[in-house]
Amino acid sequence: MTNRMQKHIVLLLFTIFLSSEFAYSQVVRNYEITEWVYLNKSSRLLGNSVTDLVYGNSNRLWIGTGRGLNSTADNGLSFDEYTHDEFEIGIGGVSALAVLGDIVIVANAFDDPDVEESNSTGSGLAISTDNGFSWTHIDQPKDSNDAVFELIYGDTIDALPVVINVDNVTFDIAITEDSTIYITSFAGGSRKSTDLGVTWNRIVLPPDDMDSLTAFSDHEFDLSPVDNSNFGVTGSLNHRPFSVIAWGDTVIIGTAGGINRSYDSGVSWFKSNTGNSGISGNWAVVLHRHVWNGNETLLAATRPTVEGEFLGISLSRDGGENWRTVLSDERVWNFSSDDSVIYAAADSGLFKSVDGGVTWASFPPIIDGATGDPLYTQTFYSVIKTPDNRLWAGTAGGLIYTDNNSSSWTILRAVKPLTEDLSVRTYSYPNPFSPSRHNRLGGDGYVRFHYSLSERSTVSINVYDFSMTLVAKAVKSVSRDKGEWDEVWNGRNGFGSVVANGTYFYKIIVNKSSGGGEVHWGKVMVIE
């Protein structure tokens, strides 16, 4: 298990009492809107980290970002915003998103500054059954204090109730044709709802030392999504789920302990892991089902949990019994299918396979066809091909699309507008800026200087250190039209070296086409 994963589970707190209940009601609140026009419509995204893309009814593309939920029904000309204040959709970024017909489900999570050593807190689910017209908020699914056992095949096993939202983050959602909902929540377990989220049942997966769970299995184990000294339970990796896909009576759940298959809606389970089936790593963070020409391929993006496992894609063509490894050493975040083609979004770029996932080719560097600006990141989180043959991809640097098989791209980014009274004429972002972490492309990191022009002008930007010594020229005499612009700086001085940590000032020199000029100052803090 990685240090990051361990940090997720350190501070989970649980309370144990006796009970005989097996389904637990969540607090439900309803909110409605009457027409789309009441949505907060904007021309921009809520955030530039685009983690989920799902296509729904009425040509609507649903977009999960690090700052909340967007959708677009006009191919990206405008975006509807679904905010916590208006609809009480969970606060924070989108951690999972699923759409089936008119059903839309979004899970959110946020970093709680009051919780030490915790990375995230689940802020609940929001469910719409009418393609986003009205929403129902559900508190983060968890257990009652006295939910301390489960019944499986007539036997009682001890269970640890999850009673808090800290580290209880929903990372994946699946909806079946009969509206059954499955969710996988780190430190919150796998759950199933057949009443649109009003009540949830815990799903019991095989423990770490068992490869199946049926009526004939040993039922002497405990259900615990974390280590628990009261139960004497350590590990419990297969009770810590991250991914789920489901159709009909088939459910597949990826955990930190392997890939679990059920063909009876989650009653009995069969587990694949590195020891019995050759998957690349036991930590299955993403699952995908590709069906084309009557053939089914299952794909899983895996992470290593112990020495000997590795990053990659595991692929199965026999329903998940046997797996082979492809695209080794790539950290994949998402898959999408379009007829015979499979796409994979990964840390090092966007990949495409035309032979059912056996071999993969990466897309060349992304350049905006209209502006000539490169995409300042190689990290892709999501990808989808919509019915109009447009390929969308969510990246760490915005939402991009191509209509011509990647011959040209359009890059859409979230930008905070300058104040209308122009009391703020420029700002830099991200700020503080780390050249080794932010907007990485070609070995460099980039910070953006945002500014506006009232008319066509020639622009130069110089960067100075705290003693006002010139250290770099970000741009020199570039021609720009009226509007808001970004220029980038790679954090290097005139000798090509990354500058030292500290505060730097930048000077924007504007020479207007009509004559006259302006000078605006801003600052950026550089921290490695």
Side-chain angles (χ1 to χ4, degrees), residues 124-187:
L125 284 70
I127 299 179
S128 172
T129 59
D130 52 14
N131 202 26
F133 278 94
S134 61
W135 294 86
T136 297
H137 182 271
I138 299 170
D139 286 347
Q140 186 66 27
K142 45 188 180 292
D143 307 311
S144 60
N145 290 338
D146 50 4
V148 295
F149 66 88
E150 285 285 344
L151 282 176
I152 55 171
Y153 298 104
D155 293 329
T156 301
I157 65 170
D158 291 335
L160 196 65
V162 176
V163 298
I164 62 173
N165 297 336
V166 176
D167 282 336
N168 179 7
V169 176
T170 299
F171 282 117
D172 207 357
I173 304 167
I175 313 168
T176 60
E177 297 83 348
D178 63 355
S179 303
T180 298
I181 303 169
Y182 297 90
I183 62 171
T184 49
S185 307
F186 179 81

Side-chain angles (χ1 to χ4, degrees), residues 5 52 95-98 169-175 181-191 203 205 237-247 250-262 269 272 279 281-289 298-303 312 314 323 332-335:
M5 186 173 167
D52 276 296
S95 61
L97 177 63
V169 176
T170 299
F171 282 117
D172 207 357
I173 304 167
I175 313 168
I181 303 169
Y182 297 90
I183 62 171
T184 49
S185 307
F186 179 81
S190 306
R191 296 171 190 270
I203 294 174
L205 298 173
L237 299 181
N238 203 45
H239 291 160
R240 307 178 192 188
F242 291 88
S243 51
V244 59
I245 55 176
W247 65 98
T250 300
V251 187
I252 302 180
I253 292 179
T255 72
I259 301 170
N260 302 267
R261 314 180 311 277
S262 173
W269 291 92
S272 300
I279 60 176
N282 279 338
W283 187 358
V285 298
V286 183
L287 296 168
H288 180 67
R289 180 183 182 230
L298 300 177
L299 300 107
T302 68
R303 310 283 190 268
S314 293
W323 299 77
V332 174
W333 296 104
N334 185 234
F335 297 104

Side-chain angles (χ1 to χ4, degrees), residues 104-136:
V104 184
I105 306 176
V106 57
N108 292 71
F110 66 102
D111 292 333
D112 189 340
D114 296 328
V115 180
E116 295 181 358
E117 298 188 41
S118 174
N119 284 331
S120 298
T121 297
S123 58
L125 284 70
I127 299 179
S128 172
T129 59
D130 52 14
N131 202 26
F133 278 94
S134 61
W135 294 86
T136 297

Side-chain angles (χ1 to χ4, degrees), residues 194-220:
T194 57
D195 55 11
L196 292 176
V198 178
T199 60
W200 295 86
N201 291 300
R202 290 184 292 207
I203 294 174
V204 182
L205 298 173
D208 291 354
D209 58 353
M210 292 169 52
D211 289 342
S212 64
L213 179 59
T214 68
F216 306 103
S217 303
D218 178 6
H219 299 155
E220 294 295 325

Side-chain angles (χ1 to χ4, degrees), residues 305-327:
T305 57
V306 297
E307 188 175 355
E309 301 177 12
F310 52 92
L311 294 169
I313 297 175
S314 293
L315 179 153
S316 173
R317 289 192 172 142
D318 60 5
E321 291 191 22
N322 296 284
W323 299 77
R324 61 181 293 187
T325 298
V326 297
L327 204 62

